[in-house]
Amino acid sequence: MSTSKSIRRAVQWALWTGAASVTAFQSVHAAEDLDTIQEVVVTGTRISVPGAISSSPILSIGSDEIRLQQATEIEQVLRDLPITQVGDGSNVNNGSAGAATLNLRGLGPERNLILINGKRVTPFNYDGEVDTSVIPTALIERVDIVTGGASAVYGSDAIAGAVNFLMKRDFEGVDISTDFSQFDERDGDLRSVSLVMGANVADGRGNIVVGLNWTDRKAVMLGDRPLGQLGIETASGAGYQEFLNGQPPLAAPAGCGGPNSVQSGGSGTTLPTRVALFGGGALGQFREDGSLGANCSVFNFNPYNYYQTPLERFGGMVMGHFEMNEHAEAYARFGYTSTSVRTQVAPSGIFNTPFWTPMSNPLLDPTVRAGLLARFNDPAQDLARMRTAATATQAAPENWRDLNNNGIIDEADDVRLTYQRRTVEFGPRSTTYDNNSFSMLVGVRGQLFAGWDYDVFGQYGESERSNVSDGYANVTNIANALEAIPDANGNAVCRSGAPGCVPLNLFGGFGAITPDQVPYSSASAIEQQAYEQKIIGASVSGPIDAVQLPWAASPMAMSFGVEYREEYGTATPDLCWQTLPASCLGGAGGAILPIAGGFDVREVFGEVLLPVASDLPGVRSFDLEAGYRYSDYDPSGANRTYKYGFSYKPVDQVMFRVMKQRAARAPNVGELAAPNVTALDNASIDPCSVANAANITPELTALCVATGMDPGQVGVVQNIEAGQVNSFTGTDLNNLPKPEQADTFTVGVVWSPDFIPVVNNVLVSLDYYDIDIQDVIGEFGAQEVLDACYVNAIADQCAKIKRIGGNLVVDGSGVETYTTNLKYLRAEGVELGVAFGVDIGKFGNLRFSANVNKYLTHESQSDNTTALVDCVGIYGTNCGNGPQGGPLPETRWLQRTTWNYNDFTVSLLWRHMSSIQSALPACPPGVDEGCVFPAFKKVGSYDYFDLFGSWQFMEQASVSFGVSNLFEKDPPVVGNEAADTGSNSGNTFPQLYDALGRQFAVGLRFSF
């Protein structure tokens, strides 16, 4: 075999290592002319010698596939991969951080390492997550995704795998492209323009490439689609039939309405105002005329939310390298991105918050006042509860201030009431995320001596974010505004005399809050975040000629190096955010306190590739591979990671590969330095509430009382609203989490036959993977804690529940979910990749490729006392709230068929997802709590087809056209409480399924 042919074969096998790519044939085809290549650097190893390959599976996505999808954002391509799971992105609204993250195998975005040309990308926040939108799509040559732990090679975070974006090198010319897409409903416009310019310098000794990009994405509201116009209830199915009938939401009864007030399918925090005695039962709902009656409407929060969040982004990257001499090549990379993303949810409000309310408040209807006082003084109704006291003399009543000391609840006294009222008059709630990121990399690489290369680099990156939240209710000021008393003329004035205080009227419907009341009782807040990363590293690689086995054609090769990394993050909220216990922003999910912290790590690492045998009968090649990394973290301590495996080729066309790795993830800044605050967590049912009244037993009552309830409150207090409860989150500084540790195992085979007539570039791979993570850094789910306490009677879990007035949603109450080490998280499955081409003579050629992933296991367990959760084919709060992130189809695949004919290309992409079902049982007749509506129990398998076509109408110009969701398949309907709020919105899962219908795209490209 000639030297050039050997090199081509080495390069091909290096590129084929993963062989699970939907575009693998493109990479292979490109490799056929690389006669001059002397070595290739493969993602997953630092060893750079001819023939070096990784024994770990690698999925590669080429630039051609990105063009076929007409993707202006790489997130659009990555989230459709069978190996990825729901992450943050364009279709995440409530729960979004205004970024686009990647979640490999559903193990969490913090457990996959994002790289550019083998170097880390600076996170956008203190949770260590990378916003993939900072990577300019037009500059990407290919994306390599390594399956399983890669910590021995790249360090912490590479547990689920490493994603390496390889950028264009030695690019010459100018490439200008512009794309436009729009949904069938003529909305959701996406416009982008990219410019790539490159030139060789100094007679080819160097090259510089500049890439610029601009993207503008328009919003699509839930109310813009029939499915999103009404909140359908997951348990009862309320609103589902109206949706099927094409009917609008049923309007609230006369006198009990207002904007988006409906009969069912919404939130109890509504308008007109609902009111209850703190710690007691409901008192009713006000009417538009100020009277008080039974609850009569709920609030349809859906239409205000986004199916697709608006974005504007501008960015650029400059890369260059210059050969100074035969031993040194300088290289550098500079990048800057400015991104603005807006999220929006329904108007803010007062979410079951208790306030002291003077019975003399002039804004309260006199008839209502009289009725309330009569009820409060009736021993058979509320008097006993009003007098719940800490002393036998009842001198310290819980809900009553006897201001005139006459022992009777009268107009002179204060009563503590809880209110549920949407402050629609304040406008919608929104948060605008403005992010500016900058990165700089400089280094020198080259050849030390024959066969030995070195690489020394320094890297600096920073990200600055401002999060502006607007349209909220100011809880602190509302407390003052509700304590209104009559002045000498009988007009309402604030008793506190606080500057600017204007009494607030919550005792009626829409419009009761007048424009002059809005400024004092509404609020905006700002949080500033900053993240800084510094890295210095050096490595060498090459052969050890003295170590060569007699049966091998080449000696042992190795690489080793050192690295120092320092990361520091801060968050600085304004005083409104810092107001405890739940900030001054009503409905914001709790206070935010300042964060300032970081870590540094010193590492040494090494790899060895030992050819054992080659060119023997039955042994075309057999190579052993091993690696080791020692990392010393301050403050979380040292950890050791390693890998060992082999690749075996009995013949040129077949390779077997096996890899065992120990990976690790050290706690990030947010996990080390987050202050203790109140937030919101997903849960479906409070077993001590009215929702479970039919199942209250003496044993359950005792558990409820032990967690802070009055016996009379058990089975009476309201259930969880909108699938969320308060939670106490943050870092326990006395018990810092220790690093995660993962054992990953992969075994597979790659087959590339060259004897099949007509068919060429055949590539088939099959890999098994098992990723087992111990001491998972995370939090117990709120529902998990509630079930452990009230169902399994586990005392340690009961101690985490703090009730006030029997409630879990009022300020100061909630469930402790502090960051800790959970027991384990595991993903196991098989992945199949197929690619081949067929020449059809004068009619051009066909290319086929497919990538299939099937989960065998995807399970977690928080500790020995909690239930094991297996999420394969499941959706629900336990499978969507945390690292497993959203519904998890058991099987997914992508299959692409492409026809190339002269200047024309036509391609069809088939996206398949197997069925999923709810973790909860189907509701029997008459039951609508702790279960799901029977029609929502299971979602059948889904198949989407995307069509693409392009025409090279000039040598330098081409036009493309694409249709996604060609047959306009509607998304599944599951209601709004089926899973966590990040993945479940608009009654479906918009980040997994195509919620917006058919999409058309057109693009124009010029290359010179």
Side-chain angles (χ1 to χ4, degrees):
M1 183 181 292
S2 67
T3 302
S4 63
K5 188 174 181 181
S6 297
I7 292 170
R8 284 201 305 272
R9 178 64 69 176
V11 172
Q12 289 174 2
W13 273 103
L15 293 172
W16 290 352
T17 302
S21 171
V22 294
T23 56
F25 62 86
Q26 296 167 340
S27 298
V28 173
H29 183 76
E32 291 180 347
D33 298 325
L34 300 180
D35 287 351
T36 60
I37 291 182
Q38 297 301 312
E39 61 187 40
V40 60
V41 178
V42 179
T43 299
T45 178
R46 295 178 187 269
I47 296 175
S48 54
V49 295
I53 60 176
S54 171
S55 297
S56 295
I58 300 176
L59 185 152
S60 292
I61 304 166
S63 57
D64 287 349
E65 175 64 23
I66 297 173
R67 282 195 293 271
L68 287 173
Q69 295 197 32
Q70 294 184 287
T72 59
E73 302 170 278
I74 193 61
E75 174 241 348
Q76 296 172 324
V77 177
L78 298 178
R79 77 178 183 186
D80 285 336
L81 295 176
I83 63 170
T84 61
Q85 184 58 1
V86 173
D88 203 349
S90 58
N91 300 117
V92 177
N93 180 48
N94 190 358
S96 174
T101 62
L102 182 60
N103 185 2
L104 287 181
R105 307 203 184 280
L107 297 175
E110 68 276 20
R111 293 184 181 88
N112 39 248
L113 183 61
I114 309 298
L115 309 165
I116 294 180
N117 293 337
K119 306 296 192 297
R120 287 176 177 263
V121 180
T122 303
F124 77 93
N125 66 359
Y126 49 75
D127 290 327
E129 299 174 359
V130 170
D131 183 358
T132 60
S133 71
V134 305
I135 300 170
T137 303
L139 279 178
I140 297 173
E141 183 66 32
R142 78 174 193 269
V143 185
D144 287 351
I145 303 177
V146 181
T147 297
S151 291
V153 179
Y154 298 115
S156 179
D157 306 335
I159 284 183
V163 184
N164 191 14
F165 292 88
L166 294 116
M167 315 305 283
K168 296 182 187 296
R169 175 183 167 90
D170 295 325
F171 179 84
E172 286 189 275
V174 178
D175 193 314
I176 304 173
S177 62
T178 178
D179 293 276
F180 172 78
S181 65
Q182 188 180 75
F183 292 101
D184 208 15
E185 299 293 329
R186 297 187 178 182
D187 59 9
D189 297 6
L190 179 63
R191 295 175 171 85
S192 69
V193 178
S194 66
L195 170 65
V196 178
M197 300 178 293
N200 289 331
V201 296
D203 297 325
R205 292 172 59 193
N207 179 269
I208 186 168
V209 180
V210 178
L212 302 174
N213 64 88
W214 171 81
T215 303
D216 180 55
R217 184 178 71 214
K218 301 301 183 183
V220 179
M221 312 295 295
L222 266 60
D224 294 334
R225 296 292 185 274
L227 180 57
Q229 292 177 2
L230 172 69
I232 299 173
E233 295 181 5
T234 298
S236 69
Y240 180 51
Q241 192 59 49
E242 288 81 1
F243 162 70
L244 293 178
N245 296 339
Q247 298 173 340
L250 295 176
C256 191
N260 285 292
S261 288
V262 295
Q263 290 186 22
S264 62
S267 168
T269 299
T270 182
L271 74 160
T273 307
R274 288 188 180 188
V275 65
L277 181 64
F278 178 57
L283 298 175
Q285 187 170 0
F286 285 94
R287 299 299 190 266
E288 295 172 46
D289 62 5
S291 61
L292 183 65
N295 291 341
C296 51
S297 69
V298 293
F299 186 74
N300 179 20
F301 52 80
N302 261 34
Y304 298 91
N305 289 252
Y306 290 133
Y307 267 133
Q308 176 174 285
T309 57
L311 167 146
E312 185 170 15
R313 179 178 64 245
F314 172 79
M317 183 174 287
V318 181
M319 299 180 295
H321 58 89
F322 181 77
E323 182 181 341
M324 296 182 289
N325 56 51
E326 62 179 341
H327 296 291
E329 180 188 66
Y331 64 94
R333 184 181 75 235
F334 303 91
Y336 172 79
T337 303
S338 176
T339 305
S340 179
V341 177
R342 174 186 165 96
T343 62
Q344 178 178 293
V345 293
S348 183
I350 303 168
F351 294 85
N352 207 46
T353 305
F355 295 103
W356 286 107
T357 306
M359 288 292 95
S360 62
N361 190 321
L363 301 176
L364 183 64
D365 183 273
T367 303
V368 173
R369 179 186 298 113
L372 289 176
L373 291 175
R375 174 169 176 171
F376 294 157
N377 283 287
D378 185 349
Q381 295 196 53
D382 290 318
L383 180 61
R385 194 177 307 282
M386 297 291 287
R387 290 180 177 246
T388 299
T391 67
T393 60
Q394 301 175 342
E398 182 180 280
N399 294 326
W400 166 37
R401 290 173 176 167
D402 190 4
L403 299 182
N404 57 4
N405 295 314
N406 64 357
I408 299 174
I409 306 168
D410 55 24
E411 189 171 340
D413 298 336
D414 292 350
V415 174
R416 187 152 61 162
L417 303 177
T418 60
Y419 293 86
Q420 292 176 272
R421 169 51 149 93
R422 291 283 174 169
T423 51
V424 178
E425 295 88 345
F426 297 175
R429 281 176 291 170
S430 66
T431 299
T432 300
Y433 300 91
D434 290 318
N435 182 60
N436 294 286
S437 63
F438 166 79
S439 63
M440 176 179 64
L441 168 72
V442 293
V444 179
R445 61 194 170 204
Q447 192 175 80
L448 287 171
F449 45 85
W452 276 85
D453 297 331
Y454 71 92
D455 185 2
V456 179
F457 74 95
Q459 180 176 333
Y460 175 82
E462 63 180 32
S463 176
E464 295 183 351
R465 290 166 57 84
S466 65
N467 308 334
V468 180
S469 300
D470 200 6
Y472 284 82
N474 188 320
V475 177
T476 304
N477 286 2
I478 287 174
N480 292 329
L482 278 175
E483 290 196 44
I485 59 175
D487 63 8
N489 298 317
N491 298 316
V493 296
C494 297
R495 181 165 58 192
S496 66
C501 181
V502 178
L504 182 67
N505 187 359
L506 297 182
F507 312 115
F510 177 71
I513 299 177
T514 58
D516 65 305
Q517 298 173 12
V518 171
Y520 181 75
S521 292
S522 61
S524 299
I526 300 175
E527 181 194 23
Q528 299 284 347
Q529 293 186 14
Y531 199 89
E532 185 179 53
Q533 182 185 70
K534 302 174 184 176
I535 306 175
I536 299 173
S539 63
V540 296
S541 68
I544 307 294
D545 294 330
V547 183
Q548 180 172 343
L549 298 181
W551 311 281
S554 56
M556 182 179 74
M558 68 176 300
S559 72
F560 56 88
V562 296
E563 188 170 286
Y564 171 79
R565 178 161 53 97
E566 182 179 311
E567 305 201 18
Y568 188 80
T570 63
T572 309
D574 64 10
L575 292 178
C576 177
W577 271 123
Q578 296 185 49
T579 303
L580 293 173
S583 88
C584 77
L585 301 184
I592 298 177
L593 297 181
I595 292 177
F599 62 87
D600 60 69
V601 55
R602 294 166 174 81
E603 301 179 285
V604 294
F605 53 85
E607 288 182 81
V608 173
L609 177 65
L610 178 63
V612 177
S614 59
D615 297 322
L616 297 176
V619 185
R620 183 67 183 87
S621 69
F622 183 78
D623 298 337
L624 297 178
E625 181 180 347
Y628 179 84
R629 176 180 290 252
Y630 174 81
S631 306
D632 186 8
Y633 281 85
D634 182 11
S636 55
N639 61 56
R640 297 163 178 83
T641 57
Y642 54 81
K643 68 172 184 174
Y644 55 88
F646 68 84
S647 63
Y648 166 52
K649 293 167 55 180
V651 294
D652 278 336
Q653 295 79 21
V654 178
M655 180 180 76
F656 297 95
R657 55 191 177 196
V658 177
M659 178 61 73
K660 174 74 174 179
Q661 303 198 59
R662 167 66 57 84
R665 184 179 80 85
N668 57 47
V669 174
E671 292 161 343
L672 291 172
N676 297 162
V677 297
T678 302
L680 292 176
D681 201 351
N682 294 108
S684 56
I685 186 172
D686 176 2
C688 298
S689 73
V690 65
N692 197 41
N695 301 311
I696 301 298
T697 64
E699 292 78 13
L700 177 57
T701 298
L703 292 170
C704 297
V705 171
T707 56
M709 298 187 77
D710 177 7
Q713 296 170 336
V714 179
V716 175
V717 297
Q718 70 173 42
N719 187 31
I720 294 163
E721 282 287 341
Q724 293 179 318
V725 298
N726 286 342
S727 64
F728 303 109
T729 67
T731 301
D732 183 351
L733 296 178
N734 295 319
N735 295 283
L736 291 177
K738 59 184 179 181
E740 297 177 350
Q741 183 172 285
D743 289 313
T744 73
F745 176 71
T746 59
V747 57
V749 59
V750 182
W751 180 44
S752 59
D754 56 6
F755 55 82
I756 304 177
V758 182
V759 179
N760 53 70
N761 289 335
V762 179
L763 190 62
V764 181
S765 71
L766 180 65
D767 289 280
Y768 164 84
Y769 60 87
D770 185 2
I771 305 171
D772 187 356
I773 311 170
Q774 301 291 319
D775 295 323
V776 177
I777 303 172
E779 304 82 29
F780 284 82
Q783 189 67 57
E784 191 174 40
V785 175
L786 294 175
D787 292 344
C789 174
Y790 299 122
V791 176
N792 299 324
I794 300 171
D796 289 347
Q797 301 298 325
C798 290
K800 298 178 180 179
I801 302 172
K802 313 296 180 184
R803 293 180 180 270
I804 294 181
N807 219 299
L808 291 173
V809 295
V810 300
D811 295 345
S813 69
V815 179
E816 290 182 358
T817 58
Y818 296 123
T819 300
T820 186
N821 287 104
L822 308 179
K823 186 177 180 182
Y824 83 97
L825 171 64
R826 182 186 179 203
E828 177 193 22
V830 292
E831 188 169 6
L832 172 68
V834 178
F836 62 91
V838 178
D839 291 328
I840 50 178
K842 64 180 181 179
F843 296 105
N845 60 71
L846 294 173
R847 295 290 183 263
F848 300 90
S849 61
N851 178 234
V852 184
N853 181 76
K854 178 181 176 63
Y855 286 109
L856 303 177
T857 303
H858 203 292
E859 63 186 23
S860 64
Q861 188 174 21
S862 295
D863 68 8
N864 291 326
T865 67
T866 58
L868 183 148
V869 179
D870 191 341
C871 290
V872 175
I874 298 296
Y875 69 85
T877 55
N878 284 342
C879 290
N881 186 31
Q884 293 171 299
L888 192 79
E890 180 179 2
T891 303
R892 292 178 66 182
W893 72 61
L894 292 178
Q895 192 281 317
R896 181 176 289 284
T897 302
T898 302
W899 175 42
N900 295 302
Y901 175 68
N902 294 333
D903 296 327
F904 295 91
T905 296
V906 178
S907 186
L908 182 70
L909 179 65
W910 176 13
R911 296 179 280 137
H912 171 83
M913 290 174 283
S914 62
S915 63
I916 58 175
Q917 63 178 344
S918 173
L920 297 175
C923 293
V927 178
D928 60 2
E929 297 287 352
C931 52
V932 297
F933 188 63
F936 305 156
K937 172 61 180 175
K938 182 178 180 180
V939 175
S941 62
Y942 259 68
D943 295 278
Y944 293 108
F945 294 90
D946 305 332
L947 183 65
F948 170 86
S950 69
W951 173 38
Q952 189 81 30
F953 63 91
M954 294 173 56
E955 183 178 354
Q956 295 86 13
S958 64
V959 62
S960 60
F961 178 79
V963 184
S964 298
N965 192 0
L966 181 63
F967 300 110
E968 199 168 12
K969 188 174 180 64
D970 293 328
V973 183
V974 294
N976 271 338
E977 302 83 32
D980 66 298
T981 54
S983 62
N984 179 205
S985 177
N987 302 306
T988 188
F989 302 110
Q991 189 78 336
L992 181 63
Y993 300 97
D994 292 4
L996 300 178
R998 185 188 293 121
Q999 185 180 35
F1000 297 93
V1002 62
L1004 191 61
R1005 182 183 183 191
F1006 298 93
S1007 300
F1008 305 95

